Amino acid sequence: MNKILLIIQREYITRVKKKSFWIASILVPFLIAAVYTIPVLLFVNSDDSRNVIVLDDSKLFKGKLNSEGDYTYIYSEKTLEEAKKDLKKSNDDIVVHIEKDILMNPKGVQILGKKTVGIGTQHAIQGKIQNELRNIKLKNAGIDLKVLEDNKINVDAQTYTLNEDGGEKSSNSGGAMILGGIFGFLLYLSAFLYGSQVMNGVIEEKSNRIIEVVVSSVRPFQLMLGKIIGVGMVGLTQFLLWGVLTFTASTVTSSIMSGKIEEKVQAKVKAGLSKDEIKKFEASVKSENPLNSISDAIENVSLGKMIFCFILYYLGGYLLYSSLFAAIGSAVESPSEAQQFMFPVTIPIILSFILAQFILQKPDSPIAFWASIIPLTSPIDMMVRLPFGVSNWEIALSLTLLILGFIGTTWLAGKVYRVGILMYGKKPSWKEITKWVFYKG
Amino acid sequence: MSIILEAQNVVKRYAGHTALSGVSIQVPQGSIFGLLGPNGAGKTSLIRIINQITGPDEGQIILDGERLQPKHIEVIGYLPEERGLYKKMKVGEQLLYLAQLKGMPKAEAVEKLKAWFIKFDIKGWWDKNVEDLSKGMQQKTQFIATIVHEPKLVILDEPFSGFDPINANLLKDEILALKEKGTTIIFSTHRMESVEELCDNIALINKSKVVLSGEKKEVKNRFRDNTFNLEYSGALAPIEGVFEILSAKNVEGITKAKVRLLDGTNANQFLGQAIQQVDLKAFNENIPSFNEIFIKVVGEDANTIL
């Protein structure tokens, strides 16, 4: 036992001392912070106000295209030629030319820009004209404008989750999807990342020829287990660092963000915008930040339960796969030789990732249920399902099977490992490796 | 002399072949024991069983009067033929790690290692990365790793392979120093000159069986065939029933000949006869070298020898 501790210590310390470990640990949280900060900052800082000169040959739109958001519509009596000429000199950005027969010919609209007209701008102006055109046509058909106003209804459904005691909680399926996706991806990544670290560690010991010295001091199984646990703890350390640093980074960036947003709001107040419009602006800023919907989802499933399950499923999934990776490492002499054997092991990992996309859509389907129960796919797929709410008995069943699963794979891997590490010079086949399982002593 | 290690009828089978079939050896306490044999004879299989890296299918190993068990790992030091080190680790850390795996407490290991660093004059190496060491330096490091925990039994598998003459001599001196301190040493080799020089006892394994074993002198005696080398001037004629001439070659008036004494003639009787015929310059018994013994035993069918 004492010797396993020594091995764990060595595996852990040599890896944590590496520069690459710290680069990854520090860089990733900043990337995460950047991913949600940058869109918000871009949104807040963007100054997209445009002056749009409207040349309305049809005379239908006069006074109807109200300035809205970033677009200020100015009516002009100039001819198209004059407007084109003036555009170059003036502060105006865009000229819209509406042809005379616009009612008959909806294609009779031209948008001219100083610079290339972006697709967003095109859609905004098009939508505006299209809306008004529809109103005009409806009015011509004899429908009252008041009826039209009443018809503008926005449906915004609220989703709720029933509590165990029958009460209801508002749920946020968008946030749950994001959170589930993040969990799934992290576990998917860690299976590969740390699994292959174990494999490469085994290959290193074998190709360095240190292995025989070590296994004359400890049992091969102890060495394998020590390595797996040591690398697993490196993974946990990395997750912990990521968690703490992401939290710190996001605290810093959100205080910067709220400062920026406040500035912008003040500017809008000064510009004399109505309260409604400011509220709208604040809401749209909020929608740019995925963190908000995630924090809503976290309120739904308890954070403690989520972290608890994440650690257990990480460990279970990691132990399950890394022992298989260790067995592969023991059978080969170089990472390139390992490729052919890795394929069958990576299939279930990739499969669970593919299933995860499906589970995000239908978290309660039978496929989602079985994928989160069967040990090979459960580490990733249960974590994907978890933010949507999973009953405790399912988690207990899936964890029990996962524990049995990794005991099984570790046992099997140990059998292959103790033979493989001392085999040099011949390329093993699957048939050969299977035989190793049944070797005695 | 007491026996420190005994292998009793050890059998080890692998899928396709038998590596050891009924191998028995006895290693006397405090001796240097040569495990000889051609490549693939089963030496490394036996060594791995003694090191408990693998287990025997049949038979058993007795160490110090006890059946081999995990605690014995700490009293054995092993330098494998395929040896290496963790390249990315510092020399000191690495040796400390290996010593602790052998059950040494950390403080004691540090102390012992420091003593070795001073002895080998490598004090500056402690914080060096292994990958920055030359091959000879790595060999020294490996040797320290093998014996730092002061094992009772040291097993060296082809210890001289890859050593330059200076390091080989250093290693030889250390082996002799260990013996001096009462350590038992088993070393496997197919380099017969080192057997000649160092070993007290030998076992020759061929095709998974022990085909020859015993004390070095006694084994050599077994292969004496009553032949003698002599140099003389003049003409020597064989005498029936006393000796025959196997070969003779005349170089600048001196004849170098090889003779075999017959029918229980001893050397004195032969000399009495010979000096009557020729002017004798030199005379010595033709004792076979281990090289010759090795080639003879391994080359022929093993069964006819024993």
Side-chain angles (χ1 to χ4, degrees):
Chain A
M1 199 56 219
N2 192 22
K3 288 180 180 175
I4 294 191
L5 281 180
L6 277 171
I7 296 163
I8 294 172
Q9 208 180 17
R10 193 199 83 86
E11 298 292 339
Y12 183 79
I13 290 174
T14 49
R15 284 184 170 76
V16 169
K17 267 179 161 175
K18 278 186 190 162
K19 267 191 214 121
S20 54
F21 173 82
W22 288 100
I23 292 172
S25 297
I26 292 169
L27 215 56
V28 169
F30 280 96
L31 283 176
I32 293 172
V35 160
Y36 66 80
T37 312
I38 288 173
V40 176
L41 287 182
L42 280 181
F43 182 77
V44 172
N45 282 334
S46 64
D47 188 18
D48 275 343
S49 58
R50 306 262 161 95
N51 286 340
V52 182
I53 308 294
V54 182
L55 308 177
D56 182 12
D57 288 353
S58 67
K59 309 291 178 206
L60 285 168
F61 295 90
K62 179 119 190 158
K64 289 204 171 119
L65 297 176
N66 300 322
S67 298
E68 191 186 57
D70 294 325
Y71 299 93
T72 311
Y73 293 92
I74 303 159
Y75 289 88
S76 166
E77 299 295 332
K78 290 176 199 166
T79 64
L80 187 56
E81 289 309 309
E82 285 167 349
K84 271 189 199 166
K85 236 183 258 166
D86 291 350
L87 187 62
K88 297 248 170 185
K89 291 177 267 175
S90 69
N91 287 328
D92 303 330
D93 305 280
I94 287 164
V95 170
V96 176
H97 179 234
I98 302 169
E99 287 175 11
K100 227 177 196 162
D101 57 347
I102 183 73
L103 272 181
M104 313 306 293
N105 175 19
K107 285 187 178 162
V109 178
Q110 288 102 38
I111 303 173
L112 306 161
K114 225 184 231 173
K115 289 177 243 158
T116 312
V117 177
I119 204 151
T121 307
Q122 187 194 339
H123 278 248
I125 295 171
Q126 245 170 241
K128 190 91 178 165
I129 294 171
Q130 188 176 307
N131 237 347
E132 281 315 313
L133 205 56
R134 189 182 294 138
N135 283 351
I136 292 161
K137 284 197 171 189
L138 285 169
K139 203 177 157 195
N140 289 350
I143 292 166
D144 192 355
L145 260 187
K146 195 154 186 322
V147 177
L148 287 178
E149 286 301 316
D150 283 349
N151 247 328
K152 284 186 184 161
I153 306 161
N154 267 329
V155 176
D156 188 4
Q158 300 298 306
T159 49
Y160 295 92
T161 313
L162 280 181
N163 283 344
E164 251 135 58
D165 50 350
E168 36 187 75
K169 248 183 339 184
S170 101
S171 74
N172 185 325
S173 55
M177 269 180 85
I178 295 174
L179 198 61
I182 290 174
F183 279 138
F185 187 68
L186 273 180
L187 284 168
Y188 171 75
L189 207 66
S190 68
F192 274 116
L193 206 63
Y194 302 114
S196 63
Q197 277 205 32
V198 169
M199 187 183 80
N200 288 331
V202 174
I203 294 174
E204 186 202 359
E205 277 171 348
K206 195 179 170 187
S207 63
N208 270 354
R209 319 265 162 165
I210 180 88
I211 190 79
E212 200 161 344
V213 174
V214 179
V215 295
S216 72
S217 308
V218 298
R219 321 226 105 251
F221 190 71
Q222 289 177 312
L223 178 61
M224 187 183 90
L225 214 58
K227 185 178 286 294
I228 288 175
I229 295 172
V231 174
M233 282 169 60
V234 173
L236 276 183
T237 310
Q238 192 141 54
F239 283 133
L240 185 73
L241 281 171
W242 281 346
V244 170
L245 286 175
T246 307
F247 180 76
T248 314
S250 52
T251 312
V252 172
T253 51
S254 40
S255 74
I256 294 173
M257 271 196 299
S258 54
K260 288 267 178 198
I261 293 166
E262 190 54 32
E263 266 174 39
K264 196 77 184 176
V265 168
Q266 290 306 323
K268 297 227 171 209
V269 170
K270 262 186 198 165
L273 265 73
S274 69
K275 273 188 181 165
D276 272 358
E277 270 179 286
I278 290 170
K279 265 193 188 152
K280 226 169 152 188
F281 170 75
E282 282 175 333
S284 61
V285 169
K286 202 183 170 196
S287 73
E288 289 287 317
N289 188 348
L291 217 58
N292 287 311
S293 45
I294 292 177
S295 60
D296 286 352
I298 288 175
E299 279 166 24
N300 257 331
V301 185
S302 87
L303 186 62
K305 185 177 172 185
M306 213 114 72
I307 292 176
F308 177 75
C309 285
F310 181 80
I311 291 175
L312 286 186
Y313 278 102
Y314 161 72
L315 286 178
Y318 166 77
L319 288 171
L320 185 92
Y321 281 106
S322 63
S323 57
L324 293 176
F325 278 116
I328 294 172
S330 74
V332 300
E333 283 174 57
S334 69
S336 59
E337 237 181 275
Q339 293 302 327
Q340 55 159 325
F341 294 108
M342 272 175 73
F343 185 59
V345 179
T346 53
I347 285 178
I349 305 180
I350 293 168
L351 179 71
S352 29
F353 196 60
I354 295 169
L355 283 173
Q357 326 290 323
F358 180 79
I359 292 166
L360 285 174
Q361 307 297 326
K362 291 182 177 174
D364 285 322
S365 57
I367 290 180
F369 173 78
W370 288 111
S372 60
I373 295 295
I374 294 167
L376 282 171
T377 52
S378 69
I380 292 176
D381 291 339
M382 181 57 100
M383 279 317 291
V384 170
R385 257 186 89 197
L386 200 63
F388 297 93
V390 179
S391 51
N392 288 336
W393 72 266
E394 283 179 51
I395 296 177
L397 174 64
S398 140
L399 278 174
T400 311
L401 288 176
L402 184 59
I403 290 167
L404 291 177
F406 79 66
I407 290 174
T409 56
T410 311
W411 175 83
L412 200 70
K415 291 265 176 190
V416 172
Y417 180 86
R418 89 214 135 111
V419 180
I421 47 172
L422 296 171
M423 286 280 179
Y424 288 102
K426 57 175 170 185
K427 265 195 169 175
S429 60
W430 279 111
K431 203 177 144 199
E432 177 91 23
I433 292 176
T434 318
K435 269 192 214 156
W436 295 353
V437 176
F438 302 102
Y439 275 9
K440 276 190 292 171
Chain B
M1 209 184 282
S2 64
I3 301 296
I4 184 168
L5 180 95
E6 189 175 2
Q8 297 172 344
N9 274 312
V10 171
V11 176
K12 180 77 189 172
R13 292 182 206 94
Y14 290 109
H17 71 290
T18 304
L20 299 167
S21 54
V23 166
S24 298
I25 58 166
Q26 292 194 324
V27 181
Q29 164 79 46
S31 67
I32 300 182
F33 188 93
L35 199 55
L36 321 180
N39 292 324
K43 287 174 296 183
T44 300
S45 293
L46 180 60
I47 287 174
R48 283 182 178 165
I49 288 170
I50 298 172
N51 276 302
Q52 301 179 60
I53 293 170
T54 53
D57 294 333
E58 285 170 38
Q60 58 177 354
I61 307 282
I62 306 291
L63 184 74
D64 244 357
E66 288 177 308
R67 224 189 142 120
L68 201 63
Q69 45 196 284
K71 68 167 187 186
H72 288 133
I73 279 172
E74 293 173 13
V75 300
I76 299 179
Y78 175 39
L79 184 69
E81 180 178 9
E82 298 284 4
R83 44 191 173 246
L85 296 162
Y86 289 108
K87 290 203 167 64
K88 301 274 178 203
M89 262 179 120
K90 297 203 161 66
V91 177
E93 273 173 16
Q94 174 141 209
L95 286 172
L96 200 56
Y97 172 64
L98 293 173
Q100 282 178 283
L101 282 188
K102 279 288 186 186
M104 265 187 127
K106 192 172 180 182
E108 192 190 337
V110 171
E111 210 162 291
K112 289 272 155 58
L113 283 172
K114 278 184 178 162
W116 276 105
F117 273 57
I118 291 166
K119 186 173 184 193
F120 277 180
D121 200 20
I122 54 174
K123 271 177 277 181
W125 290 8
W126 190 279
D127 280 325
K128 262 194 185 176
N129 268 333
V130 168
E131 55 189 349
D132 298 331
L133 299 186
S134 71
K135 198 168 180 207
M137 291 158 115
Q138 291 192 23
Q139 287 164 340
K140 277 184 188 167
T141 311
Q142 284 152 353
F143 182 74
I144 295 174
T146 310
I147 44 94
V148 65
H149 58 294
E150 298 183 338
K152 277 193 216 170
L153 176 65
V154 172
I155 301 172
L156 311 169
D157 197 354
E158 296 290 351
F160 296 103
S161 74
F163 273 59
D164 63 38
I166 294 170
N167 275 328
N169 266 334
L170 190 76
L171 180 61
K172 214 181 292 168
D173 291 344
E174 286 307 324
I175 291 173
L176 291 171
L178 283 172
K179 186 192 168 188
E180 205 64 19
K181 281 193 281 180
T183 311
T184 310
I185 295 140
I186 296 178
F187 81 88
S188 103
T189 186
H190 44 235
R191 286 202 7 189
M192 292 305 136
E193 66 275 18
S194 50
V195 176
E196 216 73 68
E197 223 175 320
L198 295 169
C199 289
D200 305 309
N201 296 68
I202 63 119
L204 175 54
I205 297 181
N206 190 33
K207 293 178 185 161
S208 78
K209 288 194 176 96
V210 176
V211 291
L212 184 67
S213 67
E215 244 180 289
K216 182 169 74 177
K217 267 187 228 150
E218 187 267 322
V219 169
K220 281 202 162 194
N221 277 340
R222 233 186 283 169
F223 282 81
R224 276 160 66 176
D225 54 358
N226 246 1
T227 60
F228 293 79
N229 302 314
L230 61 163
E231 290 176 24
Y232 56 84
S233 53
L236 185 69
I239 299 168
E240 206 169 316
V242 179
F243 71 96
E244 58 180 354
I245 298 174
L246 299 173
S247 64
K249 200 174 171 191
N250 192 321
V251 181
E252 292 168 12
I254 304 284
T255 306
K256 288 183 179 179
K258 193 173 177 183
V259 299
R260 174 179 284 132
L261 308 193
L262 303 167
D263 300 335
T265 313
N266 66 30
N268 278 353
Q269 289 165 340
F270 165 72
L271 284 175
Q273 300 276 350
I275 53 176
Q276 287 173 17
Q277 295 187 37
V278 295
D279 187 5
L280 200 60
K281 307 281 185 198
F283 173 76
N284 69 297
E285 188 177 1
N286 182 26
I287 297 170
S289 69
F290 266 100
N291 215 18
E292 288 166 317
I293 294 173
F294 185 94
I295 291 167
K296 194 167 179 189
V297 174
V298 174
E300 291 174 25
D301 186 1
N303 296 327
T304 60
I305 300 296
L306 285 182

